[in-house]
Amino acid sequence: MANNPPPFAILLVILLFLYLTPDPPSPGESHRQQHAVAHERGALEALNNSTYGDLHLGKEEDARPLNLTGFRPEHGFRWELLESAQDKARDQARYALGETADGLIEGGSDQYPLLYHNVTGFVEGEWRRTGAYDGPHVNLSAITPHGTYTSEDWKRNVTATSGDVRIHFREKENGEAWNTSVRRISARATIGEETSFGTWWEMILYGIHFVDFGEIILTTTSEKFDGIFGLPHLALSNHTFSLGRDLLNKTLNETIEKQKEGILEDSAPWSSTMEGEDLFSVPHCEYVFYLQQHPVPLNLPGGAAPGNSLVLHHLEEELRFPHRPFLPKTPDMTMSMVAFSPDCGFTIESKGPPDLAPQEGKHLKGPKTEAYAFVARRHVLLFTVIIAAQLLLLLRQMKEASTPSTRSRISFYTIAILALGDGFALLGFALFGMQIESTTMLLLATAYVAFLSVIFFGMGFLKEIWTVQSTERSREERQQAANSPQAPNSPETTQPETLPLPVTARQAINSGATPIIIPSDQDIDAEIAENQDGDANANNQGSPRRGFGSVYLRFYLLLFGLVFLSLHATTWPASVQSVYSSTLTFAYMSFLVPQIYRNVMRNCRKALRWDFVIGQSILRLLPFAYLYAYKGNILLIEPDLNFLAVLCGWVWLQVCALLSQEHLGPRFFVRDTWVPPAYDYHPVLRADEEGASLPSGAKVLAGEEAGMTTTTKAGESRDKSKKIFDCAICMQDLEVPVIASAADADGAGASGLSGGLLARRAYMVTPCRHIFHSVCLEGWMRYRLQCPICREVLPPL
Ligand SMILES: *[C@@H]1O[C@H](CO)[C@@H](O)[C@H](O)[C@H]1NC(C)=O
Ligand SMILES: *[C@@H]1O[C@H](CO)[C@@H](O)[C@H](O)[C@H]1NC(C)=O
Ligand SMILES: *[C@@H]1O[C@H](CO)[C@@H](O)[C@H](O)[C@H]1NC(C)=O
Ligand SMILES: *[C@@H]1O[C@H](CO)[C@@H](O)[C@H](O)[C@H]1NC(C)=O
Ligand SMILES: *[C@@H]1O[C@H](CO)[C@@H](O)[C@H](O)[C@H]1NC(C)=O
Ligand SMILES: *[C@@H]1O[C@H](CO)[C@@H](O)[C@H](O)[C@H]1NC(C)=O
Ligand SMILES: *[C@@H]1O[C@H](CO)[C@@H](O)[C@H](O)[C@H]1NC(C)=O
Ligand SMILES: *[C@@H]1O[C@H](CO)[C@@H](O)[C@H](O)[C@H]1NC(C)=O
Ligand SMILES: *[C@@H]1O[C@H](CO)[C@@H](O)[C@H](O)[C@H]1NC(C)=O
Ligand SMILES: *[C@@H]1O[C@H](CO)[C@@H](O)[C@H](O)[C@H]1NC(C)=O
């Protein structure tokens, strides 16, 4: 029953389906669509009718101004910036391409440099602000008279003087010839500002890529700026203008036709806002980007000879459709950038030579998507190895904790956090893998198998622990219920872990009157629970199982909730994001804390194998070490060694706490009053009054009088501070340090306690006053929580 998918999973699928199914267009929607199409048609016609130079406003009186939103003089955009930006872009082209740059831009040269023709991938680097305008604002009410905006605050306004930028390019195939010289391109740019708050802006840009000489012009488009329709006017020459206009004349018309026919439902197909961002209509600064690709540093004979672009073409083909298992050497793409905002009036440039020394920046660099995916695939494979190692450790731990008594020591929450972490990592990873198109199915499949196995085994183990511990919980509840009415007269206050007398047939057995054969390796708790289940009480049967159903539910709700929250968190401001991710990471890396807590509460010294604790700590830290210490990590996270050090320190502290709990006692660092009293298996033994109150000796000595043993007497006479007992499990002698009498116990106890702490670990005294070697009794108690001599129930260790 519990293994079936819980009903909410089906609900989730239905909800997702409903969410993803597009709504039928409402009448208002189709009206808006028609309006948008009419506007776009007008804009395209204006582009068709225009000639190069129309944008250079106000120079000649007879110039026909462009009839496009944002380009008309009365809209007050700062087109004065255009000229300096274009000059800068030309300089960058000359620096990158050398002598032939001008000829290439004007279309008079066929010395094509060695450039990637398909720049799908990303580049990143640093920018600096080089120009700012502090005149009056753009008159918004003149551009959009209908009050489109609800806010006066402009987004994407760059105020810092430097920061970093990352641009993801995407070039789709539209059936053009491979040697086409101009192509559409779209990009997602992220501009981060170096402010204390860590602001960053994200936008989508559309533009054209002049493949032959590596120039890319991108622009944002919005209701106050017809960027894509005016784009050819931003080109550097009449030649590139005509190339761009011809391309856009064709492709924009295609999109508009699709929109008109209802194939494309987006009323703003070139919108610069990210999906889900336009909840509030706020004005954004518009951007125009010029990017110049630098020649690929491949040492081919002849440099920019016409045939060499063919070589690079074959390299790119091999990258996309590999015939060999190993990737050919693929240098990163390098691009210089200059961008300006025509309405907010600032200019930013990439840092790098020749204006700045190469140490300060090397423009924007980044891999082609195929090279990136290749590296990503390898790293993900390493991650799979880590997952496999984790699984191995988990399996060993599961084998070790095969008895209910050992299982009940393990903290449910520790294992739950680990499983949650695995689920989170792999789910997030699968979503991430879907984003990189070139990620192979193999990759996703590996992730999926790992996901299944971890979730499967992890959940299986959780279920076992839960089942064992739920009987423990119900016992506690019963005990509380039993204790509350008759609390004062309970003699059990000295020994609260003692079982209340069971109401079932076990009662007779526990009285000790009958010899018992313990049929299995289970402890009494579990057997009692089993028996009670077996009693077929209608309200009791299968309750742990049913209980685990709700645990399943909560686990997956939490997992999916976390994943969705984290997905949402990617749109938050950088500082909030980092607080969120640090909190999450810290909560995850605190996975040993519940175990430490459980050890304290149950007075249990050791629950998990050491290889499990150490191995899991290292394996769980490894991905963070990769993300925070390795610069080329696939998530593109900036290295942060301090955070990593804090994280490692925190895990180290937890491991140390567990280590000292094993050797110094689980409660050595908490006060006794904070925790429920627990039975102390390692008491200080006092030999006062002929052992009358000697906890374990009393019985043994009494036994001696009855002629059962004689060892004690001999030991006693030899050394007053030592006594020798018999361990009933291994039949060997057990030498126990004893404090002479109650009178000088205070003095001797104070000095002997610290030294005696470890000595006392060597023996264990049961509540029924039998004494054993610790090793022997612990081994015994792994299987049954019963005194080997008198079959009294023992409190769990
Ligand atoms: C500009 O275009 C709009 C429609 O897009 C049109 O109504 C207006 O008359 C045009 N203005 C000029 C000066 O052509
Ligand atoms: C474009 O030019 C044609 C003639 O070439 C003219 O009829 C039309 O009105 C012009 N459109 C705009 C928007 O200027
Ligand atoms: C744009 O395309 C239309 C037809 O699709 C064509 O008539 C027109 O001449 C083109 N404009 C330019 C400037 O090439
Ligand atoms: C586009 O411009 C050309 C001239 O450049 C003109 O012949 C053609 O009619 C125009 N097309 C449209 C749809 O305005
Ligand atoms: C903005 O434009 C509106 C309408 O075109 C005009 O009434 C208003 O005076 C302008 N405001 C400024 C500050 O120029
Ligand atoms: C560029 O490369 C990407 C990734 O391999 C591919 O999806 C895209 O179709 C390519 N574009 C062109 C125009 O070849
Ligand atoms: C592209 O190559 C084809 C032959 O493969 C050739 O016919 C065409 O002219 C070339 N186009 C350009 C722009 O070089
Ligand atoms: C741009 O080139 C076209 C021909 O392609 C020519 O008719 C036009 O006059 C040129 N414009 C400028 C500003 O040079
Ligand atoms: C747009 O394309 C349609 C057919 O696809 C054609 O009829 C129309 O003239 C084109 N318009 C422009 C402005 O290119
Ligand atoms: C952008 O920020 C600068 C500096 O804070 C400010 O002077 C300018 O008015 C802002 N621009 C807009 C459009 O809000």
Side-chain angles (χ1 to χ4, degrees), residues 78 129 133-138 152-155 157-159 285 343-346:
R78 321 259 146 70
R129 201 168 61 171
Y133 174 96
D134 25 62
H137 275 215
V138 165
E152 284 290 302
D153 271 343
W154 286 59
K155 293 248 169 143
N157 186 7
V158 166
T159 52
C285 291
D343 51 353
C344 293
F346 54 81

Side-chain angles (χ1 to χ4, degrees), residues 71-100:
F71 289 86
R72 288 219 299 261
E74 64 267 31
H75 291 164
F77 276 40
R78 321 259 146 70
W79 288 113
E80 311 86 67
L81 287 172
L82 176 65
E83 209 155 328
S84 65
Q86 281 181 330
D87 286 345
K88 188 76 217 170
R90 242 176 244 121
D91 286 347
Q92 287 180 341
R94 279 183 207 122
Y95 173 73
L97 306 179
E99 295 298 304
T100 52

Side-chain angles (χ1 to χ4, degrees), residues 177-181:
W178 69 268
N179 55 2
T180 179
S181 57

